Amino acid sequence: MYIDSHCHINFPELAARMPEILAKMAENQVTHALCVSVDLPDFPQVLALARQYPHIYASVGVHPDYEDTPEPSVEQLVQLADDPKIIAIGETGLDYFRLEGDLEWQRERFRTHIKASRLTRKPLIIHTRSASEDTIRIMREEGAGTEAGGVAGVMHCFTESLEVARAAIEMGFYISFSGIVTFKSAKDLQAVALELPLERILIETDSPYLAPVPFRGRMNEPGFVAHVGEYIAKLKGVSVEQVAEQTTANFRTLFNVPA
């Protein structure tokens, strides 16, 4: 049994197919999914899905790519997270790949989310792209790691180096692999996945994006996370059952979700 630790099934292209999406999850033994917030205007849809379906969880946060959107305050995030179906803060972080210019607003937004995580005791979902040095620095400065009194979290859709992964793990974070790890061109990322302990790995789809092989190029969905798990099992030379059981246990431990 698998858990999709990061998806966006509230996005219109998936929400319109919800019965089919849920059926495909069951068919592929994907028991739960975490629907991740990217901005505040759409957060009510995310929360509504989690409240409607017992096996769907949600987060609250504002993605670093969303420049022209209402800016969250610490107090607002804390208030919105006060729901049993909200199990994480984010996604948050830094992205210097898609945006240019003065990105201090991104860094301040990231700090806001870390503060909210510390106050709510709910883990962070971190997005980082072409910004790993600043990401790790701010995590340390704001005390995101467990050794600094934070509750840690997950580096989602990980594509960075082994050094970055180890720095995050040292702070108590988990590393989540998406369908990218199955791509033939992702040799460096596969080498990272091979080195990391299974006890620190999560799997995700980031759907509707980044469908894994053999569905690359198609719209992604939570049911496809099984293929990410199967690939990691083959890569590490362990059983599919071991990957499924360990990544599920990791999810439940990180997000404080009982079996």
Side-chain angles (χ1 to χ4, degrees):
M1 297 189 294
Y2 298 97
I3 293 179
D4 183 358
S5 68
H6 192 114
C7 64
H8 303 285
I9 55 174
N10 64 301
F11 284 13
E13 54 267 54
L14 292 180
R17 300 170 46 229
M18 193 57 62
E20 179 187 348
I21 295 297
L22 298 178
K24 190 66 67 69
M25 283 176 62
E27 180 183 326
N28 287 281
Q29 295 186 302
V30 180
T31 61
H32 297 79
L34 172 50
C35 184
V36 176
S37 169
V38 295
D39 66 2
L40 296 183
D42 292 332
F43 170 71
Q45 301 169 8
V46 175
L47 180 57
L49 278 172
R51 286 175 171 172
Q52 182 176 0
Y53 301 105
H55 60 315
I56 303 297
Y57 298 102
S59 73
V60 60
V62 182
H63 195 290
D65 284 354
Y66 285 59
E67 185 173 7
D68 299 318
T69 195
E71 197 66 38
S73 67
V74 175
E75 295 75 17
Q76 189 175 20
L77 289 173
V78 169
Q79 181 182 9
L80 293 174
D82 188 21
D83 186 289
K85 292 306 292 285
I86 302 299
I87 62 172
I89 302 294
E91 65 186 278
T92 182
L94 303 175
D95 192 318
Y96 298 168
F97 180 83
R98 293 188 180 93
L99 298 176
E100 298 178 344
D102 183 2
L103 298 179
E104 183 60 26
W105 62 269
Q106 264 195 15
R107 294 184 282 274
E108 287 305 309
R109 181 183 291 175
F110 188 21
R111 294 181 191 277
T112 294
H113 283 76
I114 296 173
K115 290 181 174 77
S117 170
R118 287 175 61 95
L119 287 170
T120 60
R121 311 307 300 166
K122 295 189 178 185
L124 288 159
I125 299 171
I126 294 183
H127 167 112
T128 182
R129 190 172 185 190
S130 300
S132 58
E133 184 176 341
D134 278 357
T135 299
I136 295 295
R137 175 179 60 81
I138 291 173
M139 288 164 64
R140 286 174 174 153
E141 289 176 356
E142 296 294 335
T146 52
E147 82 287 353
V151 289
V154 57
M155 306 294 279
H156 112 89
C157 194
F158 193 80
T159 55
E160 303 296 330
S161 68
L162 180 59
E163 180 182 16
V164 174
R166 285 175 170 163
I169 288 172
E170 286 176 5
M171 286 187 276
F173 278 74
Y174 290 76
I175 307 299
S176 182
F177 293 100
S178 69
I180 294 175
V181 78
T182 71
F183 298 173
K184 288 183 179 180
S185 59
K187 300 301 182 185
D188 290 345
L189 184 61
Q190 291 158 8
V192 173
L194 185 60
E195 287 293 321
L196 297 185
L198 193 54
E199 291 76 15
R200 281 287 156 180
I201 289 176
L202 295 180
I203 54 176
E204 65 172 273
T205 59
D206 201 14
S207 50
Y209 313 115
L210 304 172
V213 175
F215 302 107
R216 187 175 183 183
R218 289 176 50 181
M219 186 184 301
N220 204 0
E221 59 184 85
F224 292 168
V225 79
H227 295 276
V228 180
E230 289 165 4
Y231 184 88
I232 289 177
K234 182 178 179 181
L235 182 69
K236 286 184 165 292
V238 299
S239 70
V240 171
E241 291 76 16
Q242 184 177 349
V243 170
E245 290 174 7
Q246 187 64 61
T247 56
T248 294
N250 294 345
F251 180 94
R252 293 190 180 283
T253 298
L254 173 61
F255 295 110
N256 195 29
V257 175

